[in-house]
Amino acid sequence: MVGHLGRHGSIARSAEHVPAERGMWLFLLADMTVFALFFGAYLWEFGSARDEFTADAAALPVPVGFVNTLVLLTSSFLVVRAVEAHRSGAFDRARRFLGGTLAGAGTFTGLKLVEYALEIAAGHGLTTSTFFMYYFVITGVHLMHVAIGTTLLVAWQRALAPGKAPYGPRWAEGVAGYWHMVDLLWLIIFSLLYIGSYA
Amino acid sequence: MTRELTGTSRRALLACAWCGPLTVVVAFTGWLIAGVLPVPLGASSTAGEVVDFYSSGAHVPMGIALASIGISLVIPVIAAITYVMWLGEPGAPVLTSIQAVSGTATTVLLLVPMLLMASAGFRPERPAELTVLLNDTAWLLFITPVGPFVIQNVAIATAILSTSTTPLPRWLGFLNLWVGFTFTFDVIAYAFHDGPFAWHGLLIFWLALTSYAIWLVAMGLTIRHVIVARAAGRDPIPGVA
């Protein structure tokens, strides 16, 4: 669809307008289905070893996870503003909002790496317990999504620079949708692994 | 040099496209005969279980040999994908080349583990630890070298999603991104002997088997559709030249 609109294309906002394109939504759904399998497997084993999981989860730095939750929520809000600016042709403003989103992505990644370092220093690893197996695999695959999302955001921002040809609004909406998914998945991860283990 | 199809080349390409679904049918049949399916040996299987499996009869190496022939049918599929991508890639066929090279590597990485498994069943009376070694090597080689697969998926997806001249539908680009994602974390199978992330686990073997089978069928049938539509003088995707 981007092909039809062209890189400079813009679409009138109407009641029928669905952001991005159908294939993108199917992709996001399929991607989250894989995460649903991760979460399902986690909950299955959590149910049969609650005490062990709760003891391990107590080693997670909840405040760091909470700060990261706020960081991602803020970056999701900024990406919404970037899409709005992009749609209205205010490319400079969109670029600034994307700068904020990217700062959020960088902060999240930095804090996550600090968190990993703390946990590994405390003797926890991929194979030390069932809880930490899920913790490292699920947050690791999520962090890979953060990296992919960051790459897409950088491409979007760079194409908005003066003298460059910006991507079409559908492309921007697709990247924004991906970033919202990254945020949504983190909310579930934080709820299940960091907080839910105490429930 | 013409990019269009006539006579024999069109029929050959149609055969290549059908090799997608055919790979799934022949490989699954071979694995069922061998007993690799429905429940394969796992990373947690004991040496006794591994030896018992391979010494249970000639149906084991023969079934695996049949699966290796089925898996070889991926080669024509890669050729068909290469042609259709080349058809639609404007300018230098860079993404097409990446797909062709990485796709070729995937066929080798699928074929060699099958031959190792068949070899394990060739002389199962050997010391047990050697059969275990062959079995471990075969399975880890089968499951974990995901790089070429992901590169191939990303090349196909990029070609479809970034150009308007490709005859392939956009949903197929997104499907390739998803299939590639389902492979990315298979490398963690090296860390586990049990659970969903072990090589035989739900999120490793079963997920990758499912997504790769979907990929083969979807690629094959879509390419068939493109060829048939072109032969009938129809544009497979309205609005795309």
Side-chain angles (χ1 to χ4, degrees), chain A residues 99-113:
Chain A
T101 311
L102 282 166
T107 308
F108 179 91
T109 306
L111 284 176
K112 200 84 205 78
L113 293 178

mmCIF file with all atom_site columns, all heavy atoms in Angstrom, chain A residues 99-113:
data_model
loop_
_atom_site.group_PDB
_atom_site.id
_atom_site.type_symbol
_atom_site.label_atom_id
_atom_site.label_alt_id
_atom_site.label_comp_id
_atom_site.label_asym_id
_atom_site.label_entity_id
_atom_site.label_seq_id
_atom_site.pdbx_PDB_ins_code
_atom_site.Cartn_x
_atom_site.Cartn_y
_atom_site.Cartn_z
_atom_site.occupancy
_atom_site.B_iso_or_equiv
_atom_site.pdbx_formal_charge
_atom_site.auth_seq_id
_atom_site.auth_comp_id
_atom_site.auth_asym_id
_atom_site.auth_atom_id
_atom_site.pdbx_PDB_model_num
ATOM 1  N N   . GLY A 1 99  ? 13.022 11.649 18.479 1.00 0.00 ? 99  GLY A N   1
ATOM 2  C CA  . GLY A 1 99  ? 14.234 11.741 19.291 1.00 0.00 ? 99  GLY A CA  1
ATOM 3  C C   . GLY A 1 99  ? 13.930 11.357 20.730 1.00 0.00 ? 99  GLY A C   1
ATOM 4  O O   . GLY A 1 99  ? 14.688 10.613 21.370 1.00 0.00 ? 99  GLY A O   1
ATOM 5  N N   . GLY A 1 100 ? 12.788 11.828 21.240 1.00 0.00 ? 100 GLY A N   1
ATOM 6  C CA  . GLY A 1 100 ? 12.362 11.482 22.605 1.00 0.00 ? 100 GLY A CA  1
ATOM 7  C C   . GLY A 1 100 ? 12.083 9.997  22.728 1.00 0.00 ? 100 GLY A C   1
ATOM 8  O O   . GLY A 1 100 ? 12.483 9.337  23.705 1.00 0.00 ? 100 GLY A O   1
ATOM 9  N N   . THR A 1 101 ? 11.397 9.446  21.719 1.00 0.00 ? 101 THR A N   1
ATOM 10 C CA  . THR A 1 101 ? 11.092 8.008  21.742 1.00 0.00 ? 101 THR A CA  1
ATOM 11 C C   . THR A 1 101 ? 12.383 7.195  21.784 1.00 0.00 ? 101 THR A C   1
ATOM 12 O O   . THR A 1 101 ? 12.510 6.235  22.551 1.00 0.00 ? 101 THR A O   1
ATOM 13 C CB  . THR A 1 101 ? 10.295 7.609  20.479 1.00 0.00 ? 101 THR A CB  1
ATOM 14 O OG1 . THR A 1 101 ? 9.208  8.517  20.317 1.00 0.00 ? 101 THR A OG1 1
ATOM 15 C CG2 . THR A 1 101 ? 9.767  6.203  20.589 1.00 0.00 ? 101 THR A CG2 1
ATOM 16 N N   . LEU A 1 102 ? 13.338 7.618  20.951 1.00 0.00 ? 102 LEU A N   1
ATOM 17 C CA  . LEU A 1 102 ? 14.613 6.890  20.889 1.00 0.00 ? 102 LEU A CA  1
ATOM 18 C C   . LEU A 1 102 ? 15.387 7.013  22.196 1.00 0.00 ? 102 LEU A C   1
ATOM 19 O O   . LEU A 1 102 ? 16.044 6.052  22.619 1.00 0.00 ? 102 LEU A O   1
ATOM 20 C CB  . LEU A 1 102 ? 15.450 7.404  19.715 1.00 0.00 ? 102 LEU A CB  1
ATOM 21 C CG  . LEU A 1 102 ? 14.996 6.869  18.354 1.00 0.00 ? 102 LEU A CG  1
ATOM 22 C CD1 . LEU A 1 102 ? 15.625 7.660  17.217 1.00 0.00 ? 102 LEU A CD1 1
ATOM 23 C CD2 . LEU A 1 102 ? 15.332 5.392  18.233 1.00 0.00 ? 102 LEU A CD2 1
ATOM 24 N N   . ALA A 1 103 ? 15.276 8.180  22.852 1.00 0.00 ? 103 ALA A N   1
ATOM 25 C CA  . ALA A 1 103 ? 15.927 8.328  24.162 1.00 0.00 ? 103 ALA A CA  1
ATOM 26 C C   . ALA A 1 103 ? 15.325 7.314  25.129 1.00 0.00 ? 103 ALA A C   1
ATOM 27 O O   . ALA A 1 103 ? 16.048 6.691  25.931 1.00 0.00 ? 103 ALA A O   1
ATOM 28 C CB  . ALA A 1 103 ? 15.739 9.749  24.677 1.00 0.00 ? 103 ALA A CB  1
ATOM 29 N N   . GLY A 1 104 ? 14.006 7.127  25.045 1.00 0.00 ? 104 GLY A N   1
ATOM 30 C CA  . GLY A 1 104 ? 13.337 6.128  25.883 1.00 0.00 ? 104 GLY A CA  1
ATOM 31 C C   . GLY A 1 104 ? 13.844 4.727  25.579 1.00 0.00 ? 104 GLY A C   1
ATOM 32 O O   . GLY A 1 104 ? 14.128 3.937  26.489 1.00 0.00 ? 104 GLY A O   1
ATOM 33 N N   . ALA A 1 105 ? 13.973 4.412  24.285 1.00 0.00 ? 105 ALA A N   1
ATOM 34 C CA  . ALA A 1 105 ? 14.456 3.087  23.884 1.00 0.00 ? 105 ALA A CA  1
ATOM 35 C C   . ALA A 1 105 ? 15.865 2.850  24.429 1.00 0.00 ? 105 ALA A C   1
ATOM 36 O O   . ALA A 1 105 ? 16.173 1.770  24.941 1.00 0.00 ? 105 ALA A O   1
ATOM 37 C CB  . ALA A 1 105 ? 14.436 2.958  22.362 1.00 0.00 ? 105 ALA A CB  1
ATOM 38 N N   . GLY A 1 106 ? 16.712 3.895  24.341 1.00 0.00 ? 106 GLY A N   1
ATOM 39 C CA  . GLY A 1 106 ? 18.084 3.780  24.835 1.00 0.00 ? 106 GLY A CA  1
ATOM 40 C C   . GLY A 1 106 ? 18.121 3.591  26.337 1.00 0.00 ? 106 GLY A C   1
ATOM 41 O O   . GLY A 1 106 ? 18.878 2.754  26.854 1.00 0.00 ? 106 GLY A O   1
ATOM 42 N N   . THR A 1 107 ? 17.280 4.382  27.055 1.00 0.00 ? 107 THR A N   1
ATOM 43 C CA  . THR A 1 107 ? 17.232 4.265  28.511 1.00 0.00 ? 107 THR A CA  1
ATOM 44 C C   . THR A 1 107 ? 16.786 2.868  28.921 1.00 0.00 ? 107 THR A C   1
ATOM 45 O O   . THR A 1 107 ? 17.379 2.237  29.809 1.00 0.00 ? 107 THR A O   1
ATOM 46 C CB  . THR A 1 107 ? 16.244 5.313  29.098 1.00 0.00 ? 107 THR A CB  1
ATOM 47 O OG1 . THR A 1 107 ? 16.590 6.590  28.574 1.00 0.00 ? 107 THR A OG1 1
ATOM 48 C CG2 . THR A 1 107 ? 16.283 5.320  30.602 1.00 0.00 ? 107 THR A CG2 1
ATOM 49 N N   . PHE A 1 108 ? 15.731 2.382  28.262 1.00 0.00 ? 108 PHE A N   1
ATOM 50 C CA  . PHE A 1 108 ? 15.219 1.051  28.583 1.00 0.00 ? 108 PHE A CA  1
ATOM 51 C C   . PHE A 1 108 ? 16.319 0.001  28.412 1.00 0.00 ? 108 PHE A C   1
ATOM 52 O O   . PHE A 1 108 ? 16.553 -0.821 29.296 1.00 0.00 ? 108 PHE A O   1
ATOM 53 C CB  . PHE A 1 108 ? 14.023 0.711  27.685 1.00 0.00 ? 108 PHE A CB  1
ATOM 54 C CG  . PHE A 1 108 ? 13.451 -0.661 27.951 1.00 0.00 ? 108 PHE A CG  1
ATOM 55 C CD1 . PHE A 1 108 ? 12.427 -0.829 28.870 1.00 0.00 ? 108 PHE A CD1 1
ATOM 56 C CD2 . PHE A 1 108 ? 13.954 -1.782 27.299 1.00 0.00 ? 108 PHE A CD2 1
ATOM 57 C CE1 . PHE A 1 108 ? 11.915 -2.096 29.134 1.00 0.00 ? 108 PHE A CE1 1
ATOM 58 C CE2 . PHE A 1 108 ? 13.450 -3.049 27.554 1.00 0.00 ? 108 PHE A CE2 1
ATOM 59 C CZ  . PHE A 1 108 ? 12.425 -3.201 28.478 1.00 0.00 ? 108 PHE A CZ  1
ATOM 60 N N   . THR A 1 109 ? 16.998 0.057  27.261 1.00 0.00 ? 109 THR A N   1
ATOM 61 C CA  . THR A 1 109 ? 18.047 -0.930 26.971 1.00 0.00 ? 109 THR A CA  1
ATOM 62 C C   . THR A 1 109 ? 19.176 -0.843 27.991 1.00 0.00 ? 109 THR A C   1
ATOM 63 O O   . THR A 1 109 ? 19.634 -1.864 28.519 1.00 0.00 ? 109 THR A O   1
ATOM 64 C CB  . THR A 1 109 ? 18.602 -0.710 25.548 1.00 0.00 ? 109 THR A CB  1
ATOM 65 O OG1 . THR A 1 109 ? 17.503 -0.715 24.643 1.00 0.00 ? 109 THR A OG1 1
ATOM 66 C CG2 . THR A 1 109 ? 19.580 -1.804 25.157 1.00 0.00 ? 109 THR A CG2 1
ATOM 67 N N   . GLY A 1 110 ? 19.594 0.385  28.307 1.00 0.00 ? 110 GLY A N   1
ATOM 68 C CA  . GLY A 1 110 ? 20.665 0.576  29.280 1.00 0.00 ? 110 GLY A CA  1
ATOM 69 C C   . GLY A 1 110 ? 20.297 0.001  30.637 1.00 0.00 ? 110 GLY A C   1
ATOM 70 O O   . GLY A 1 110 ? 21.066 -0.756 31.244 1.00 0.00 ? 110 GLY A O   1
ATOM 71 N N   . LEU A 1 111 ? 19.087 0.332  31.119 1.00 0.00 ? 111 LEU A N   1
ATOM 72 C CA  . LEU A 1 111 ? 18.652 -0.166 32.423 1.00 0.00 ? 111 LEU A CA  1
ATOM 73 C C   . LEU A 1 111 ? 18.522 -1.688 32.426 1.00 0.00 ? 111 LEU A C   1
ATOM 74 O O   . LEU A 1 111 ? 18.845 -2.346 33.406 1.00 0.00 ? 111 LEU A O   1
ATOM 75 C CB  . LEU A 1 111 ? 17.308 0.472  32.808 1.00 0.00 ? 111 LEU A CB  1
ATOM 76 C CG  . LEU A 1 111 ? 17.376 1.926  33.277 1.00 0.00 ? 111 LEU A CG  1
ATOM 77 C CD1 . LEU A 1 111 ? 15.965 2.470  33.538 1.00 0.00 ? 111 LEU A CD1 1
ATOM 78 C CD2 . LEU A 1 111 ? 18.205 2.032  34.560 1.00 0.00 ? 111 LEU A CD2 1
ATOM 79 N N   . LYS A 1 112 ? 18.048 -2.225 31.289 1.00 0.00 ? 112 LYS A N   1
ATOM 80 C CA  . LYS A 1 112 ? 17.886 -3.677 31.200 1.00 0.00 ? 112 LYS A CA  1
ATOM 81 C C   . LYS A 1 112 ? 19.248 -4.365 31.299 1.00 0.00 ? 112 LYS A C   1
ATOM 82 O O   . LYS A 1 112 ? 19.374 -5.390 31.965 1.00 0.00 ? 112 LYS A O   1
ATOM 83 C CB  . LYS A 1 112 ? 17.210 -4.041 29.868 1.00 0.00 ? 112 LYS A CB  1
ATOM 84 C CG  . LYS A 1 112 ? 16.574 -5.391 29.866 1.00 0.00 ? 112 LYS A CG  1
ATOM 85 C CD  . LYS A 1 112 ? 15.173 -5.342 30.467 1.00 0.00 ? 112 LYS A CD  1
ATOM 86 C CE  . LYS A 1 112 ? 14.750 -6.673 31.039 1.00 0.00 ? 112 LYS A CE  1
ATOM 87 N NZ  . LYS A 1 112 ? 15.320 -7.006 32.329 1.00 0.00 ? 112 LYS A NZ  1
ATOM 88 N N   . LEU A 1 113 ? 20.243 -3.782 30.654 1.00 0.00 ? 113 LEU A N   1
ATOM 89 C CA  . LEU A 1 113 ? 21.580 -4.383 30.698 1.00 0.00 ? 113 LEU A CA  1
ATOM 90 C C   . LEU A 1 113 ? 22.163 -4.295 32.104 1.00 0.00 ? 113 LEU A C   1
ATOM 91 O O   . LEU A 1 113 ? 22.804 -5.235 32.581 1.00 0.00 ? 113 LEU A O   1
ATOM 92 C CB  . LEU A 1 113 ? 22.501 -3.708 29.671 1.00 0.00 ? 113 LEU A CB  1
ATOM 93 C CG  . LEU A 1 113 ? 22.105 -3.961 28.200 1.00 0.00 ? 113 LEU A CG  1
ATOM 94 C CD1 . LEU A 1 113 ? 23.044 -3.219 27.249 1.00 0.00 ? 113 LEU A CD1 1
ATOM 95 C CD2 . LEU A 1 113 ? 22.088 -5.449 27.863 1.00 0.00 ? 113 LEU A CD2 1
#
